[in-house]
Amino acid sequence: MSVAFVKEESAETAAETLLPDRPVSPHPNLVTEAGLEALTRQLEEAREAYGAASAIEDVNERRRQAAGPLRDLRYFTERVRSAQVVPEPLASEVVAFGSTVTFSREDGRVQRYRIVGEDEADPKAGTISYVSPVARQLMGKRVGEVVSVAGQELELVVIS
């Protein structure tokens, strides 16, 4: 149908409500127990937000307000569905999913991160994704081993 036969506001609203899906990683959706709980909580929050938006009487405003929650609902539904919970590592001799690693950089900085799933990764909070370059280089390594990431050497000093 031509835009000439549609209210101007409706055409603008339709364009605003066509949000692209959030990209879903091609990697296995490995998560910790806490990560699955967080995904489930975010799914419930998206359901609630979508329900609240769906109750808006004005159709244009309803579309606008529901677009984000609907996109999040699709994303978190898929992430919860595909989640593979990985138990905490039983030993700390080698780096594994769920390990907390401390490493020193060539410039003297010492950093500590827990290796977790993609959705729960937040470097500022001390977690990195298992598919990040640093985590991928450290997986399977032991204390004292040195790895190279982005032209810098990292020495693994503690695994917990």
Side-chain angles (χ1 to χ4, degrees):
M1 175 185 290
S2 170
V3 175
F5 297 106
V6 181
K7 283 187 188 177
E8 185 83 22
E9 184 178 345
S10 295
E12 290 172 5
T13 301
E16 290 174 7
T17 60
L18 299 174
L19 297 177
D21 280 341
R22 291 175 63 174
V24 174
S25 171
H27 302 285
N29 186 15
L30 305 182
V31 296
T32 63
E33 291 279 343
L36 180 58
E37 289 171 13
L39 285 172
T40 303
R41 190 171 45 256
Q42 290 171 305
L43 175 58
E44 188 53 39
E45 289 169 5
R47 279 189 184 125
E48 290 171 10
Y50 181 71
S54 296
I56 297 172
E57 286 188 34
D58 179 81
V59 68
N60 291 325
E61 187 61 21
R62 181 174 53 237
R63 284 183 192 146
R64 256 194 298 274
Q65 294 298 320
L70 183 57
R71 176 178 61 177
D72 288 347
L73 191 56
R74 289 190 303 265
Y75 177 80
F76 289 117
T77 297
E78 173 57 24
R79 296 306 277 175
V80 168
R81 185 198 66 72
S82 64
Q84 300 173 34
V85 177
V86 178
E88 297 288 321
L90 298 175
S92 58
E93 288 87 38
V94 291
V95 176
F97 185 93
S99 295
T100 299
V101 296
T102 305
F103 54 88
S104 62
R105 294 182 172 271
E106 292 174 331
D107 61 10
R109 287 184 297 155
V110 175
Q111 294 179 296
R112 183 173 192 240
Y113 293 105
R114 181 164 187 235
I115 300 173
V116 296
E118 292 176 278
D119 291 308
E120 51 190 319
D122 180 1
K124 289 181 181 177
T127 56
I128 58 173
S129 167
Y130 80 100
V131 296
S132 70
V134 170
R136 290 192 342 210
Q137 289 296 315
L138 291 173
M139 294 292 252
K141 301 296 188 252
R142 297 176 181 277
V143 170
E145 289 192 61
V146 176
V147 298
S148 180
V149 177
Q152 232 189 62
E153 288 191 347
L154 313 177
E155 181 181 355
L156 187 56
V157 291
V158 177
I159 303 170
S160 55

